[in-house]
């Protein structure tokens, strides 16, 4: 039996062979170990208790980056939206884990990280690189706060320049008309058209419910966006910011579109009968598949690429466009027609006027020429 000594720390005993044994119990299971000195045994006991209570190894030499990431995301990111957590996991698993996942946390060096960041910045877009850079820094910074690292090695790195991407333009009036003409008659036409009339984001369109639509007052209440994550499937989540929760006035063309949509959807539900099977919690979506289930945003994007490819074959080449381009185009038309920027800010759901003006308000060349001609006599 180990020798008892009242001067030893609680949980530490001296064995006959001269070694010090530490021992603790957690959730009915015994844990123990041996060290050369009482101080080392006490330290290991503290580490083991911390490990058991927090689900990690407190001793950094035992801890690899993959293990720490799992603790970081499940313990320190509990206030994030489910879709944000999904993005963090995908970013980590795709970019960071293959590089550093199996390395010991304490073994990471600034020069290793710098080479990695340089490669990421040279390979991927500014937004993708920004996600990688933030995630890795915060992961390591939390390790410092938990005393797993003495300092964050990223403090000694320099953020590399990312590829400068050409600013994406809104569609011109003629391009918008050509695209809508190509889309007319397709299953997704109403969604494309509604975005050009209101500036709704793709998740706001796919997540729109009939209780969010007031055709009498001619307005839409943006309260949710449609989201999807692994293991949970489709669900409605709160908009990305408080400013994104907003009321959007509907022009008459949008009111007519939604009235027609409501009638056609009702007829479709009756025709499909038992085959109309909305998902639990999503019974009243404005836009659905033929069976009442949500429309995946990726399918909407794929349809748009298909339409643009078909237009190119017929001689109308829109260099680059996405569903978000329709929102961009809406904002640009509003400015060209004289809408006050502050009003547009609230319709788009931006936190500041600067975001609205910087991101969305391209002015077409013909508009600039017209404005210059208008003030020519005053110059």
């Amino acid at each position: 039996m180990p020798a008892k000594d009242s001067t030893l720390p609680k949980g530490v005993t001296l064995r006959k062979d001269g070694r010090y044994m530490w021992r603790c119990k957690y959730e009915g299971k015994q844990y123990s170990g041996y060290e050369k000195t009482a101080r080392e045994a006490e330290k290991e006991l503290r580490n083991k208790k911390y490990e058991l209570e927090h689900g990690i190894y407190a001793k950094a030499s035992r801890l690899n980056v993959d293990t720490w990431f799992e603790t970081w995301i499940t313990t320190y990111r509990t206030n994030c939206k489910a879709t944000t957590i999904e993005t963090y996991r995908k970013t980590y698993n795709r970019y960071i884990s293959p590089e550093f996942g199996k390395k010991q946390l304490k073994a990471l060096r600034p020069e290793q990280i710098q080479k990695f960041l340089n490669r990421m910045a040279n390979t991927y877009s500014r937004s993708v690189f920004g996600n990688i850079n933030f995630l890795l820094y915060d992961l390591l910074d939390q390790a410092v706060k938990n005393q797993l690292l003495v300092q964050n090695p990223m403090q000694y790195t320099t953020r590399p320049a990312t590829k400068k991407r050409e600013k994406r333009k809104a569609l011109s009036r003629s391009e918008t008309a050509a695209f809508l003409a190509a889309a007319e008659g397709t299953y997704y036409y109403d969604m494309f058209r509604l975005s050009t009339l209101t500036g709704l984001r793709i998740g706001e369109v796919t997540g729109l419910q009939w209780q969010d639509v007031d055709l009498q007052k001619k307005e839409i209440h943006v309260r949710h966006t449609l989201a999807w994550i692994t293991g949970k499937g489709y669900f409605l989540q709160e908009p990305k910011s408080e400013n994104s929760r907003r009321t959007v006035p509907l022009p008459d063309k949008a009111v007519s579109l939604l009235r027609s949509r409501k009638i056609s959807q009702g007829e479709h539900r009756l025709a499909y009968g038992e085959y109309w099977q909305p998902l639990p919690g999503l019974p009243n979506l404005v836009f659905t598949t033929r069976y009442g289930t949500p429309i995946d945003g990726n399918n909407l994007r794929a349809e748009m690429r298909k339409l643009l490819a078909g237009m190119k074959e017929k001689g109308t080449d829109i260099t680059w466009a996405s569903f978000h381009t329709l929102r961009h185009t809406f904002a640009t038309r509003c400015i060209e027609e004289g809408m006050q920027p502050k009003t547009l800010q609230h319709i788009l759901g931006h936190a500041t006027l600067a975001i609205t003006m910087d991101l969305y308000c391209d002015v077409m060349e013909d508009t600039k020429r017209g404005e210059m001609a208008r003030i020519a006599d005053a110059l």
Side-chain angles (χ1 to χ4, degrees), residues 159-199:
R159 181 172 177 138
T162 52
K163 289 182 176 180
K164 188 174 182 180
R165 186 175 67 184
E166 184 179 349
K167 187 176 181 181
R168 291 170 178 170
K169 301 290 185 180
L171 300 181
S172 67
R173 294 171 190 267
S174 61
E175 288 173 335
T176 304
F179 171 73
L180 292 174
E184 193 167 6
T186 67
Y187 193 77
Y188 299 118
Y189 171 79
D190 286 354
M191 303 177 78
F192 294 134
R193 185 59 175 138
L194 185 64
S195 186
T196 64
L197 291 169
T198 61

Short mmCIF file of all heavy atoms in Angstrom, two decimals, residues 159-199:
data_model
loop_
_atom_site.label_atom_id
_atom_site.label_comp_id
_atom_site.label_asym_id
_atom_site.label_seq_id
_atom_site.Cartn_x
_atom_site.Cartn_y
_atom_site.Cartn_z
N ARG A 159 0.04 38.98 -42.70
CA ARG A 159 -1.07 38.61 -43.59
C ARG A 159 -0.69 38.91 -45.03
O ARG A 159 -0.43 40.06 -45.39
CB ARG A 159 -2.33 39.38 -43.21
CG ARG A 159 -3.53 39.03 -44.08
CD ARG A 159 -4.80 39.63 -43.57
NE ARG A 159 -5.92 39.35 -44.46
CZ ARG A 159 -7.13 39.01 -44.06
NH1 ARG A 159 -7.38 38.91 -42.77
NH2 ARG A 159 -8.09 38.78 -44.92
N PRO A 160 -0.67 37.89 -45.89
CA PRO A 160 -0.27 38.11 -47.28
C PRO A 160 -1.37 38.78 -48.09
O PRO A 160 -2.55 38.74 -47.72
CB PRO A 160 -0.02 36.69 -47.79
CG PRO A 160 -0.89 35.82 -46.94
CD PRO A 160 -0.93 36.47 -45.59
N ALA A 161 -0.96 39.41 -49.17
CA ALA A 161 -1.93 40.02 -50.08
C ALA A 161 -2.68 38.92 -50.81
O ALA A 161 -2.12 37.91 -51.20
CB ALA A 161 -1.22 40.93 -51.07
N THR A 162 -3.98 39.11 -50.98
CA THR A 162 -4.79 38.15 -51.71
C THR A 162 -4.98 38.59 -53.14
O THR A 162 -4.71 39.74 -53.49
CB THR A 162 -6.17 37.98 -51.04
OG1 THR A 162 -6.75 39.28 -50.87
CG2 THR A 162 -6.03 37.31 -49.68
N LYS A 163 -5.45 37.67 -53.96
CA LYS A 163 -5.70 38.00 -55.36
C LYS A 163 -6.73 39.12 -55.45
O LYS A 163 -7.77 39.07 -54.79
CB LYS A 163 -6.23 36.77 -56.10
CG LYS A 163 -5.21 35.68 -56.32
CD LYS A 163 -5.85 34.55 -57.10
CE LYS A 163 -4.85 33.46 -57.43
NZ LYS A 163 -5.48 32.35 -58.19
N LYS A 164 -6.44 40.10 -56.25
CA LYS A 164 -7.40 41.18 -56.43
C LYS A 164 -8.42 40.77 -57.47
O LYS A 164 -8.07 40.49 -58.61
CB LYS A 164 -6.69 42.47 -56.87
CG LYS A 164 -7.60 43.68 -56.88
CD LYS A 164 -6.83 44.96 -57.17
CE LYS A 164 -7.77 46.16 -57.12
NZ LYS A 164 -7.04 47.42 -57.39
N ARG A 165 -9.65 40.69 -57.04
CA ARG A 165 -10.70 40.25 -57.94
C ARG A 165 -11.39 41.45 -58.56
O ARG A 165 -11.69 42.44 -57.89
CB ARG A 165 -11.73 39.42 -57.18
CG ARG A 165 -12.79 38.79 -58.05
CD ARG A 165 -13.69 37.89 -57.23
NE ARG A 165 -14.48 38.66 -56.28
CZ ARG A 165 -15.30 38.11 -55.38
NH1 ARG A 165 -15.39 36.81 -55.31
NH2 ARG A 165 -15.98 38.87 -54.55
N GLU A 166 -11.62 41.36 -59.85
CA GLU A 166 -12.31 42.44 -60.54
C GLU A 166 -13.72 42.59 -59.97
O GLU A 166 -14.42 41.60 -59.74
CB GLU A 166 -12.40 42.13 -62.04
CG GLU A 166 -13.03 43.25 -62.85
CD GLU A 166 -13.06 42.91 -64.34
OE1 GLU A 166 -12.43 41.94 -64.74
OE2 GLU A 166 -13.74 43.64 -65.07
N LYS A 167 -14.12 43.82 -59.72
CA LYS A 167 -15.43 44.06 -59.14
C LYS A 167 -16.52 43.55 -60.07
O LYS A 167 -16.52 43.85 -61.26
CB LYS A 167 -15.64 45.56 -58.88
CG LYS A 167 -16.91 45.86 -58.12
CD LYS A 167 -17.01 47.34 -57.81
CE LYS A 167 -18.28 47.64 -57.01
NZ LYS A 167 -18.43 49.07 -56.71
N ARG A 168 -17.42 42.77 -59.52
CA ARG A 168 -18.49 42.22 -60.33
C ARG A 168 -19.56 43.27 -60.56
O ARG A 168 -19.98 43.96 -59.64
CB ARG A 168 -19.07 40.98 -59.65
CG ARG A 168 -18.08 39.82 -59.65
CD ARG A 168 -18.52 38.68 -58.77
NE ARG A 168 -17.56 37.59 -58.85
CZ ARG A 168 -17.56 36.54 -58.06
NH1 ARG A 168 -18.48 36.43 -57.12
NH2 ARG A 168 -16.66 35.58 -58.20
N LYS A 169 -20.00 43.34 -61.79
CA LYS A 169 -20.93 44.38 -62.20
C LYS A 169 -22.37 43.91 -62.14
O LYS A 169 -22.66 42.72 -62.24
CB LYS A 169 -20.60 44.84 -63.62
CG LYS A 169 -19.19 45.38 -63.80
CD LYS A 169 -19.03 46.72 -63.11
CE LYS A 169 -17.67 47.32 -63.39
NZ LYS A 169 -17.49 48.63 -62.73
N ALA A 170 -23.26 44.86 -62.02
CA ALA A 170 -24.68 44.56 -62.17
C ALA A 170 -24.98 44.34 -63.65
O ALA A 170 -24.21 44.73 -64.53
CB ALA A 170 -25.50 45.73 -61.63
N LEU A 171 -26.11 43.71 -63.92
CA LEU A 171 -26.54 43.56 -65.30
C LEU A 171 -27.09 44.88 -65.82
O LEU A 171 -27.72 45.64 -65.07
CB LEU A 171 -27.64 42.49 -65.40
CG LEU A 171 -27.28 41.07 -64.94
CD1 LEU A 171 -28.49 40.15 -65.12
CD2 LEU A 171 -26.09 40.53 -65.68
N SER A 172 -26.84 45.15 -67.07
CA SER A 172 -27.44 46.34 -67.68
C SER A 172 -28.92 46.08 -67.90
O SER A 172 -29.41 44.95 -67.72
CB SER A 172 -26.77 46.63 -69.02
OG SER A 172 -27.05 45.60 -69.96
N ARG A 173 -29.64 47.11 -68.32
CA ARG A 173 -31.07 46.92 -68.57
C ARG A 173 -31.32 45.89 -69.66
O ARG A 173 -32.20 45.04 -69.54
CB ARG A 173 -31.70 48.26 -68.94
CG ARG A 173 -31.68 49.27 -67.79
CD ARG A 173 -32.10 50.65 -68.25
NE ARG A 173 -31.85 51.65 -67.22
CZ ARG A 173 -32.74 52.03 -66.31
NH1 ARG A 173 -33.94 51.50 -66.30
NH2 ARG A 173 -32.43 52.94 -65.40
N SER A 174 -30.53 45.96 -70.71
CA SER A 174 -30.73 45.03 -71.83
C SER A 174 -30.33 43.60 -71.42
O SER A 174 -30.99 42.63 -71.82
CB SER A 174 -29.91 45.47 -73.04
OG SER A 174 -28.52 45.50 -72.74
N GLU A 175 -29.29 43.47 -70.62
CA GLU A 175 -28.88 42.14 -70.14
C GLU A 175 -29.93 41.54 -69.22
O GLU A 175 -30.22 40.34 -69.28
CB GLU A 175 -27.54 42.23 -69.41
CG GLU A 175 -26.35 42.47 -70.33
CD GLU A 175 -25.06 42.73 -69.56
OE1 GLU A 175 -25.15 43.20 -68.41
OE2 GLU A 175 -23.99 42.48 -70.13
N THR A 176 -30.52 42.38 -68.37
CA THR A 176 -31.56 41.91 -67.47
C THR A 176 -32.76 41.40 -68.26
O THR A 176 -33.31 40.33 -67.98
CB THR A 176 -32.01 43.02 -66.51
OG1 THR A 176 -30.87 43.52 -65.79
CG2 THR A 176 -33.04 42.51 -65.52
N ALA A 177 -33.17 42.19 -69.25
CA ALA A 177 -34.31 41.79 -70.08
C ALA A 177 -34.02 40.49 -70.82
O ALA A 177 -34.89 39.61 -70.92
CB ALA A 177 -34.63 42.91 -71.07
N ALA A 178 -32.79 40.35 -71.33
CA ALA A 178 -32.41 39.14 -72.06
C ALA A 178 -32.42 37.92 -71.14
O ALA A 178 -32.89 36.83 -71.53
CB ALA A 178 -31.04 39.32 -72.70
N PHE A 179 -31.91 38.09 -69.94
CA PHE A 179 -31.88 36.96 -69.00
C PHE A 179 -33.28 36.53 -68.61
O PHE A 179 -33.61 35.33 -68.59
CB PHE A 179 -31.07 37.31 -67.75
CG PHE A 179 -31.19 36.27 -66.67
CD1 PHE A 179 -30.54 35.05 -66.80
CD2 PHE A 179 -31.99 36.49 -65.55
CE1 PHE A 179 -30.68 34.06 -65.83
CE2 PHE A 179 -32.12 35.51 -64.58
CZ PHE A 179 -31.47 34.30 -64.72
N LEU A 180 -34.14 37.49 -68.28
CA LEU A 180 -35.50 37.15 -67.87
C LEU A 180 -36.28 36.51 -69.01
O LEU A 180 -37.11 35.61 -68.79
CB LEU A 180 -36.22 38.40 -67.35
CG LEU A 180 -35.68 38.96 -66.03
CD1 LEU A 180 -36.37 40.27 -65.68
CD2 LEU A 180 -35.88 37.96 -64.89
N ALA A 181 -36.00 36.95 -70.23
CA ALA A 181 -36.64 36.34 -71.39
C ALA A 181 -36.21 34.88 -71.53
O ALA A 181 -37.02 34.00 -71.84
CB ALA A 181 -36.30 37.13 -72.65
N ALA A 182 -34.93 34.62 -71.28
CA ALA A 182 -34.42 33.25 -71.36
C ALA A 182 -35.00 32.39 -70.24
O ALA A 182 -35.22 31.18 -70.42
CB ALA A 182 -32.90 33.25 -71.29
N ALA A 183 -35.23 32.99 -69.09
CA ALA A 183 -35.72 32.25 -67.92
C ALA A 183 -37.23 32.04 -67.94
O ALA A 183 -37.74 31.13 -67.28
CB ALA A 183 -35.32 32.98 -66.64
N GLU A 184 -37.94 32.86 -68.69
CA GLU A 184 -39.40 32.78 -68.69
C GLU A 184 -39.87 31.40 -69.14
O GLU A 184 -39.38 30.84 -70.12
CB GLU A 184 -39.99 33.85 -69.61
CG GLU A 184 -41.48 34.03 -69.43
CD GLU A 184 -42.02 35.28 -70.09
OE1 GLU A 184 -41.24 35.95 -70.81
OE2 GLU A 184 -43.19 35.59 -69.90
N GLY A 185 -40.79 30.86 -68.37
CA GLY A 185 -41.30 29.53 -68.69
C GLY A 185 -40.60 28.42 -67.93
O GLY A 185 -41.07 27.28 -67.91
N THR A 186 -39.47 28.71 -67.31
CA THR A 186 -38.76 27.70 -66.52
C THR A 186 -39.38 27.63 -65.12
O THR A 186 -40.10 28.54 -64.68
CB THR A 186 -37.27 28.02 -66.38
OG1 THR A 186 -37.11 29.22 -65.58
CG2 THR A 186 -36.63 28.25 -67.75
N TYR A 187 -39.08 26.56 -64.40
CA TYR A 187 -39.67 26.35 -63.08
C TYR A 187 -39.24 27.42 -62.09
O TYR A 187 -39.97 27.73 -61.14
CB TYR A 187 -39.28 24.96 -62.56
CG TYR A 187 -40.07 24.53 -61.36
CD1 TYR A 187 -41.38 24.07 -61.50
CD2 TYR A 187 -39.52 24.60 -60.09
CE1 TYR A 187 -42.12 23.68 -60.40
CE2 TYR A 187 -40.26 24.20 -58.98
CZ TYR A 187 -41.56 23.74 -59.14
OH TYR A 187 -42.30 23.37 -58.04
N TYR A 188 -38.06 28.00 -62.31
CA TYR A 188 -37.51 28.95 -61.34
C TYR A 188 -37.70 30.42 -61.73
O TYR A 188 -37.19 31.32 -61.05
CB TYR A 188 -36.01 28.69 -61.15
CG TYR A 188 -35.68 27.32 -60.63
CD1 TYR A 188 -34.92 26.43 -61.37
CD2 TYR A 188 -36.16 26.89 -59.39
CE1 TYR A 188 -34.61 25.16 -60.90
CE2 TYR A 188 -35.86 25.63 -58.91
CZ TYR A 188 -35.09 24.77 -59.66
OH TYR A 188 -34.79 23.52 -59.18
N TYR A 189 -38.43 30.66 -62.81
CA TYR A 189 -38.56 32.04 -63.30
C TYR A 189 -39.06 32.99 -62.23
O TYR A 189 -38.53 34.08 -62.06
CB TYR A 189 -39.50 32.10 -64.50
CG TYR A 189 -39.84 33.52 -64.90
CD1 TYR A 189 -38.93 34.28 -65.66
CD2 TYR A 189 -41.04 34.12 -64.52
CE1 TYR A 189 -39.22 35.59 -66.01
CE2 TYR A 189 -41.33 35.43 -64.86
CZ TYR A 189 -40.42 36.16 -65.60
OH TYR A 189 -40.70 37.46 -65.95
N ASP A 190 -40.12 32.60 -61.48
CA ASP A 190 -40.70 33.51 -60.49
C ASP A 190 -39.69 33.93 -59.43
O ASP A 190 -39.73 35.06 -58.93
CB ASP A 190 -41.89 32.84 -59.80
CG ASP A 190 -43.12 32.76 -60.70
OD1 ASP A 190 -43.08 33.32 -61.81
OD2 ASP A 190 -44.11 32.12 -60.30
N MET A 191 -38.75 33.03 -59.10
CA MET A 191 -37.75 33.34 -58.08
C MET A 191 -36.73 34.35 -58.62
O MET A 191 -36.34 35.28 -57.92
CB MET A 191 -37.07 32.06 -57.62
CG MET A 191 -38.06 31.03 -57.09
SD MET A 191 -37.29 29.46 -56.62
CE MET A 191 -36.58 29.91 -55.05
N PHE A 192 -36.32 34.14 -59.87
CA PHE A 192 -35.40 35.09 -60.50
C PHE A 192 -36.05 36.48 -60.59
O PHE A 192 -35.45 37.49 -60.25
CB PHE A 192 -35.02 34.63 -61.91
CG PHE A 192 -34.22 33.35 -61.96
CD1 PHE A 192 -34.54 32.34 -62.85
CD2 PHE A 192 -33.12 33.17 -61.13
CE1 PHE A 192 -33.79 31.17 -62.91
CE2 PHE A 192 -32.36 32.00 -61.18
CZ PHE A 192 -32.71 31.00 -62.07
N ARG A 193 -37.30 36.47 -61.04
CA ARG A 193 -37.98 37.75 -61.24
C ARG A 193 -38.21 38.48 -59.92
O ARG A 193 -38.04 39.71 -59.84
CB ARG A 193 -39.33 37.50 -61.93
CG ARG A 193 -40.08 38.78 -62.30
CD ARG A 193 -39.25 39.64 -63.21
NE ARG A 193 -39.98 40.82 -63.69
CZ ARG A 193 -39.46 42.04 -63.78
NH1 ARG A 193 -38.18 42.25 -63.39
NH2 ARG A 193 -40.15 43.04 -64.25
N LEU A 194 -38.58 37.73 -58.87
CA LEU A 194 -38.83 38.39 -57.58
C LEU A 194 -37.57 39.05 -57.05
O LEU A 194 -37.64 40.15 -56.47
CB LEU A 194 -39.35 37.37 -56.56
CG LEU A 194 -39.77 37.96 -55.21
CD1 LEU A 194 -40.94 38.91 -55.38
CD2 LEU A 194 -40.12 36.86 -54.22
N SER A 195 -36.42 38.44 -57.26
CA SER A 195 -35.18 39.05 -56.79
C SER A 195 -34.87 40.34 -57.53
O SER A 195 -34.39 41.31 -56.94
CB SER A 195 -34.02 38.07 -56.93
OG SER A 195 -32.85 38.61 -56.34
N THR A 196 -35.14 40.37 -58.83
CA THR A 196 -34.87 41.61 -59.59
C THR A 196 -35.85 42.72 -59.19
O THR A 196 -35.56 43.90 -59.40
CB THR A 196 -34.98 41.37 -61.11
OG1 THR A 196 -36.32 41.00 -61.46
CG2 THR A 196 -34.00 40.30 -61.57
N LEU A 197 -36.99 42.34 -58.61
CA LEU A 197 -38.00 43.33 -58.23
C LEU A 197 -37.88 43.78 -56.78
O LEU A 197 -38.44 44.80 -56.39
CB LEU A 197 -39.40 42.75 -58.44
CG LEU A 197 -39.83 42.54 -59.90
CD1 LEU A 197 -41.12 41.72 -59.94
CD2 LEU A 197 -40.00 43.87 -60.61
N THR A 198 -37.15 43.01 -55.95
CA THR A 198 -37.10 43.32 -54.51
C THR A 198 -35.69 43.33 -53.93
O THR A 198 -35.49 43.84 -52.83
CB THR A 198 -37.92 42.29 -53.72
OG1 THR A 198 -37.36 40.98 -53.94
CG2 THR A 198 -39.39 42.29 -54.15
N GLY A 199 -34.72 42.71 -54.61
CA GLY A 199 -33.37 42.63 -54.06
C GLY A 199 -33.20 41.59 -52.98
O GLY A 199 -32.21 41.61 -52.24
#
